[in-house]
Amino acid sequence: MTSSKTIVLRSSDGATFEVDEAVALHSLMIKHRIETGGADSTTIDVPEVTGNTLSKVIEYCKKHVEAPNSDDLKSFDTDFVKVDQAVLCHLAKASYYMNIKGLLDLSSKTIADMFKGKTVEQIRETFHIKNDFTPEEEEELRKENSWNLFV
Amino acid sequence: MVEEEQNQHLDDDEDGISKFPDCLLGEILSRLPETKYAVRTGALFKRWKHVWHAVPNLDFVNSFQKSYNPQSNARFFSFVDETLTLHRQWKLKKFRLYSGYNLRLESHVNDWIRYAVNCNIEELDLALWDLEYCTTDRDFPLDQFVFMCSSFTHLTLSGWSFNPTGAISWKNLRSLCISFLKLDGNDLIENILSGSPVLQTLELIYCYGDYRWLDITSKSVKKLVFTGYIGSTDDDYGPGKLFEINAPNILSLTIQGDLWLRKLLLLSVSSLVEAHLNYTNHMGVRGTGREEEETLKGLILNLLHVKDLRIGPSCLDLKWIFFW
């Protein structure tokens, strides 16, 4: 039995993670890097993602690659995004840069669900968004957007 | 280094939502259920003022209750008009519109559909209900340009009337779901099928009119869902109300909903692999339960060759177990 190839992924803060190649390939970004990498480089830098987040992303990829048809995949996904908004945003950004469609879908949809039904103020509070409109700009916005006031 | 990051003020979080690239924000906005939530994000943060403009899905829902309130309805129509003016995309993937309408608003709705078609819309989902139903009793007529749109892949239409003046051409249409359409004879269905060479799924929900059979010989249509049958409104209790389905190439058949007819026959469904029956049969005042029993028995006999046959609880209505 041939031993499966492993790849080392290195996060922005220098943390390294050894994963099976099949799991790493779940990220189309990594797949592309490997395919165009030339020499057999087995360490791939992922400078857009911190160690904490990369560890979670790998957990997601492992589950989806090793048990794609398992009955508990749906509940795994549901539980996977039961995290605070900061971690959720990190996951969304990582999945976007690493081109992992399933995780991008999951995290984006979860964030979208958190936007829904909230006022602008409530969304700012939930996601710690600083309002950078000046009072004059806000007044202008209110005038311009009077057509969507009913929302 | 990781600990340092965690101790930074959240506003400076490099991975926080405020620092998301526009494309990623677009991914989130396109998963919002209604466009009004996406538009709202324009007021969150300066950089996002215009991000929602690029979302490839437009979703406008005016609730049933609100559309009967003239002020609320007017605001809704105004909102849609202004959103489309600002949106200005050259390509749209999905467009959904659910609203009440009246004659006065007819040109607005046609303009919106034209906008979507000009953006090479793929999935169009339109449900309208006539606010003046009691006086006009008419469905909204689909404009002729809709019948020639080659970008449609999925069409869902409810509360419309179809009067194509020529041959329909929906060359990329894969799925069609029509509710409450008036069909007189099989001509319109034939026109739809011959103009949709890659159609895979056809769903008819409570269509009515003088139509007594469905003849689907198209090689592409693989799935048929037949939900409810009202028949001709002035002939509910007429004798011999028979409906026939001829679909020799379909692989999947579902018959569900309320069927106001005396007998349903399957003429040819030889390719079927799966079938699901979950309908309620209303035979009218003359029905004794025997005809309903005969219809179900006949259907099952015609479906004995089907690998996956499911019969739902609606077909096994308690009242006529006593007849067995």
Side-chain angles (χ1 to χ4, degrees):
Chain A
M1 192 162 139
T2 52
S3 59
S4 56
K5 192 169 168 211
T6 59
I7 302 274
V8 171
L9 301 178
R10 186 158 52 208
S11 69
S12 61
D13 45 353
T16 54
F17 302 87
E18 190 173 350
V19 294
D20 285 342
E21 192 186 35
V23 171
L25 292 177
H26 203 57
S27 150
L28 293 185
M29 180 274 264
I30 294 187
K31 184 169 190 270
H32 185 252
R33 290 248 189 108
I34 292 174
E35 283 168 359
T36 57
D40 38 23
S41 51
T42 51
T43 300
I44 303 217
D45 283 299
V46 192
E48 300 91 357
V49 186
T50 63
N52 276 353
T53 305
L54 189 55
S55 154
K56 273 201 79 80
V57 169
I58 288 166
E59 187 193 331
Y60 174 90
C61 293
K62 261 189 99 143
K63 182 72 180 180
H64 278 254
V65 168
E66 289 168 5
N69 302 311
S70 78
D71 292 330
D72 71 339
L73 201 61
K74 217 168 167 196
S75 61
F76 170 86
D77 280 358
T78 307
D79 291 340
F80 194 76
V81 285
K82 281 193 180 140
V83 291
D84 76 40
Q85 64 82 26
V87 176
L88 188 59
C89 289
H90 297 179
L91 285 173
K93 200 166 175 222
S95 63
Y96 174 75
Y97 278 116
M98 293 178 73
N99 201 345
I100 303 169
K101 187 173 188 312
L103 185 55
L104 179 61
D105 272 340
L106 180 62
S107 50
S108 308
K109 183 82 178 62
T110 308
I111 296 174
D113 288 342
M114 289 165 77
F115 271 29
K116 183 181 120 179
K118 290 193 168 72
T119 63
V120 168
E121 263 318 306
Q122 287 168 336
I123 297 174
R124 282 201 193 118
E125 207 177 293
T126 305
F127 290 95
H128 302 280
I129 298 170
K130 206 162 133 192
N131 177 9
D132 61 350
F133 288 106
T134 65
E136 295 78 28
E137 283 167 339
E138 275 202 314
E139 189 49 46
E140 201 48 54
L141 205 64
R142 254 187 281 276
K143 278 202 215 130
E144 278 174 29
N145 289 345
S146 56
W147 49 274
N148 77 357
L149 275 182
F150 96 106
V151 301
Chain B
M1 199 164 160
V2 170
E3 287 82 358
E4 270 180 342
E5 248 181 42
Q6 284 174 340
N7 290 334
Q8 273 179 345
H9 194 276
L10 281 162
D11 279 348
D12 300 323
D13 184 356
E14 269 306 309
D15 290 335
I17 204 171
S18 310
K19 304 282 194 308
F20 274 11
D22 289 1
C23 290
L24 179 51
L25 188 63
E27 291 282 344
I28 294 165
L29 298 190
S30 65
R31 286 166 173 87
L32 282 166
E34 286 179 54
T35 295
K36 69 183 188 193
Y37 300 117
V39 168
R40 207 176 273 179
T41 65
L44 278 175
F45 195 63
K46 260 203 239 191
R47 192 166 58 80
W48 294 352
K49 205 168 159 205
H50 304 292
V51 174
W52 69 265
H53 292 186
V55 173
N57 306 330
L58 286 173
D59 202 298
F60 301 105
V61 175
N62 196 18
S63 77
F64 198 72
Q65 293 80 4
K66 281 195 181 154
S67 57
Y68 280 92
N69 172 335
Q71 265 187 321
S72 177
N73 211 31
R75 280 207 297 270
F76 174 79
F77 274 71
S78 203
F79 171 65
V80 179
D81 273 339
E82 293 288 344
T83 304
L84 294 186
T85 309
L86 285 173
H87 186 259
R88 290 288 149 236
Q89 281 298 296
W90 60 275
K91 175 93 182 91
L92 259 184
K93 193 160 162 35
K94 285 190 202 172
F95 185 95
R96 181 165 78 127
L97 171 70
Y98 287 2
S99 178
Y101 79 96
N102 54 36
L103 284 174
R104 229 175 6 96
L105 300 166
E106 196 170 306
S107 64
H108 282 264
V109 177
N110 272 321
D111 285 344
W112 301 341
I113 301 170
R114 192 179 291 277
Y115 175 83
V117 166
N118 287 342
C119 291
N120 294 309
I121 186 74
E122 290 175 23
E123 298 179 34
L124 190 62
D125 184 350
L126 303 171
L128 296 189
W129 48 91
D130 187 351
L131 296 171
E132 285 149 14
Y133 181 74
C134 298
T135 51
T136 62
D137 188 20
R138 47 160 271 175
D139 294 320
F140 197 97
L142 217 49
D143 223 325
Q144 293 301 315
F145 67 84
V146 178
F147 298 116
M148 308 303 292
C149 178
S150 58
S151 60
F152 291 151
T153 57
H154 295 71
L155 260 186
T156 307
L157 301 166
S158 172
W160 295 82
S161 67
F162 276 29
N163 291 307
T165 51
I168 291 174
S169 175
W170 286 332
K171 38 187 234 260
N172 287 302
L173 188 66
R174 298 202 299 268
S175 164
L176 176 64
C177 172
I178 320 178
S179 305
F180 311 114
L181 178 67
K182 186 160 195 281
L183 289 165
D184 286 318
N186 211 43
D187 289 349
L188 182 55
I189 297 283
E190 268 173 31
N191 194 352
I192 290 171
L193 292 176
S194 52
S196 313
V198 298
L199 186 67
Q200 290 163 10
T201 302
L202 175 64
E203 187 166 356
L204 299 172
I205 303 178
Y206 290 103
C207 295
Y208 64 101
D210 188 20
Y211 91 112
R212 304 292 170 93
W213 74 92
L214 263 182
D215 192 20
I216 301 176
T217 49
S218 144
K219 292 225 157 54
S220 65
V221 176
K222 294 298 170 204
K223 182 173 172 181
L224 174 65
V225 180
F226 186 75
T227 304
Y229 178 80
I230 306 176
S232 182
T233 49
D234 59 354
D235 189 26
D236 277 340
Y237 305 122
K241 177 62 77 66
L242 165 70
F243 195 92
E244 294 171 328
I245 295 178
N246 182 44
N249 300 315
I250 62 169
L251 304 178
S252 167
L253 173 67
T254 300
I255 301 176
Q256 59 190 7
D258 292 327
L259 305 182
W260 296 86
L261 46 68
R262 194 166 291 282
K263 205 175 179 62
L264 175 65
L265 276 184
L266 298 176
L267 294 183
S268 171
V269 285
S270 47
S271 307
L272 273 186
V273 160
E274 63 174 32
H276 187 201
L277 306 177
N278 194 27
Y279 62 86
T280 310
N281 203 177
H282 297 275
M283 304 311 300
V285 290
R286 292 194 197 123
T288 56
R290 181 154 295 274
E291 281 137 327
E292 291 158 340
E293 194 185 316
E294 289 300 320
T295 292
L296 182 59
K297 276 190 189 160
L299 288 176
I300 293 172
L301 284 173
N302 278 330
L303 297 170
L304 285 177
H305 64 289
V306 176
K307 231 167 86 174
D308 178 9
L309 172 62
R310 276 178 263 172
I311 303 183
S314 301
C315 288
L316 305 169
D317 189 349
L318 212 55
K319 77 169 192 289
W320 51 272
I321 284 182
F322 294 122
F323 290 106
W324 285 20

